[in-house]
Amino acid sequence: MARTGRRPGPTSTRSTILEAARRRFAAAGYSATSLRGIAADACVDAGVVLHFFGSKEGLFRAAVGWPFDPARAEQTLLSSSAEPLGTRLAQTFFEYWEDPTTGPALAALLRSAMTNVEAAALLREFVAHELFGRVAAQFAPDQTQLRVQLAAAQLVGIAVLRNLLQLEPISSAPIENLVAWVGPNLERYRRSTEPDG
Amino acid sequence: MARTGRRPGPTSTRSTILEAARRRFAAAGYSATSLRGIAADACVDAGVVLHFFGSKEGLFRAAVGWPFDPARAEQTLLSSSAEPLGTRLAQTFFEYWEDPTTGPALAALLRSAMTNVEAAALLREFVAHELFGRVAAQFAPDQTQLRVQLAAAQLVGIAVLRNLLQLEPISSAPIENLVAWVGPNLERYRRSTEPDG
């Protein structure tokens, strides 16, 4: 809603689309939300949405405020080195949190999801669709989603203690040290037989 | 600061003391903060502080908003059953988060610590002093603090995904199932040799 009578500029159009996208994605989830519906809410043509965001996935990422391309991260993660996946997952996670651009963006995202219901719904939808979906095939087939989420919980918990609450010594621990501790536990979630079995 | 000329009642005195306590504990930490100093800030006698909160520890707990007595939790935890400590830690943690009184209080605490610098300093001081200190003796002697914090990070991360972000399936998983998965990983942090050794 422009406050003057002038035609809204690109910045305002972009943010109107983002607002509409946040509302729709949070309310209906990723799959049930259409570019066309968002475009209609924002009173623009679907082509305008594509012009700004490239694709529905790109729009989703921008709406959530996610600071890197999950498809690229997946490529790096699955193509690299002979280390066990648990180790590579931990390494990649800590590197994104350490990075001066992506780190603060991830912290802001987590903060707002923990204090705002719509932001939580958006982030929930995003991680399920854009992150967990990409690694699930690498986890054992029984209770796969729970395994992925337990591994994610370990990593997110470290980000909370290390980057948000800044507890010592975990806050100053070198990444290699954290990876060495955490990697084997992530591997256990990924591959062990059922805990009671 | 009373807005009328009347003498402040007990509720107002109590909250004035709590405000002073939060400021002092957050700025100087638990050990360096004295009841006398807090009482002086609140313009009351130290005896009044003891009357309301029983002890410096009780005042600290009230200032943080911590919803149960850590000393009692420790007693239950260390006295009970033949299960490995990792299992009992997980069980106790999830029970406090499930409880309709303590659960929401813990969620509120974590939320405010993640979005407010003073609340973060207070919570940091509290967990280091009142929680981690109580279990540290049960962890292997090398890198003890880091071990404790990695275990805590696993549990906190689950609370974030399960109770705050409400991701499925972890949000509806029965406690027994979570404990069975998580217990062995906590035991690994507690007892394994150094990860690189």
Side-chain angles (χ1 to χ4, degrees), chain B residues 122-146:
Chain B
L122 254 180
L123 185 63
R124 199 158 58 220
E125 187 65 15
F126 187 83
V127 296
H129 202 272
E130 290 292 314
L131 302 183
F132 297 169
R134 293 178 192 276
V135 295
Q138 312 293 325
F139 282 66
D142 61 293
Q143 303 192 53
T144 304
Q145 291 305 313
L146 187 61

Side-chain angles (χ1 to χ4, degrees), chain A residues 111 114 124 149 168, chain B residues 111 114 124 149 165 168:
Chain A
R111 277 199 188 96
M114 283 181 63
R124 199 158 58 220
Q149 293 184 4
E168 290 298 353
Chain B
R111 277 199 187 96
M114 282 180 63
R124 199 158 58 220
Q149 294 183 5
L165 302 183
E168 291 298 353

Side-chain angles (χ1 to χ4, degrees), chain A residues 111 114 124 143 146-147 149 153-154 157 161 164-166 168-170 177 180-181 184-185 188-189 195-196, chain B residues 111 114 124 143 146-147 149 153-154 157 161 164-166 168-170 177 180-181 184-185 188-189 192 195:
Chain A
R111 277 199 188 96
M114 283 181 63
R124 199 158 58 220
Q143 302 193 51
L146 186 62
R147 287 171 186 269
Q149 293 184 4
Q154 172 67 84
L161 267 59
L164 301 180
L165 301 183
Q166 303 183 347
E168 290 298 353
I170 204 170
N177 192 14
W181 276 109
N185 277 6
R188 199 183 141 265
Y189 290 137
D196 299 313
Chain B
R111 277 199 187 96
M114 282 180 63
R124 199 158 58 220
Q143 303 192 53
L146 187 61
R147 288 171 185 270
Q149 294 183 5
Q154 172 66 84
L161 267 59
L164 301 181
L165 302 183
Q166 302 182 348
E168 291 298 353
I170 204 170
N177 191 14
W181 275 110
N185 277 5
R188 199 184 142 263
Y189 289 138
S192 79

Side-chain angles (χ1 to χ4, degrees), chain B residues 92-111:
Chain B
T92 306
F93 181 89
F94 295 131
E95 278 170 4
Y96 277 119
W97 274 89
E98 225 62 5
D99 181 282
T101 309
T102 53
L106 291 170
L109 249 166
L110 189 53
R111 277 199 187 96

Side-chain angles (χ1 to χ4, degrees), chain A residues 92-175:
Chain A
T92 306
F93 181 89
F94 295 131
E95 278 169 5
Y96 278 120
W97 274 88
E98 224 61 5
D99 182 282
T101 309
T102 52
L106 291 170
L109 249 167
L110 189 53
R111 277 199 188 96
S112 76
M114 283 181 63
T115 49
N116 175 298
V117 176
E118 190 182 69
L122 254 180
L123 185 63
R124 199 158 58 220
E125 187 66 15
F126 187 84
V127 296
H129 201 272
E130 290 292 314
L131 302 183
F132 297 170
R134 293 178 192 276
V135 295
Q138 312 293 325
F139 282 66
D142 61 293
Q143 302 193 51
T144 304
Q145 290 305 313
L146 186 62
R147 287 171 186 269
V148 172
Q149 293 184 4
L150 287 164
Q154 172 67 84
L155 294 173
V156 168
I158 293 177
V160 169
L161 267 59
R162 175 179 168 89
N163 303 83
L164 301 180
L165 301 183
Q166 303 183 347
L167 271 159
E168 290 298 353
I170 204 170
S171 189
S172 316
I175 288 187

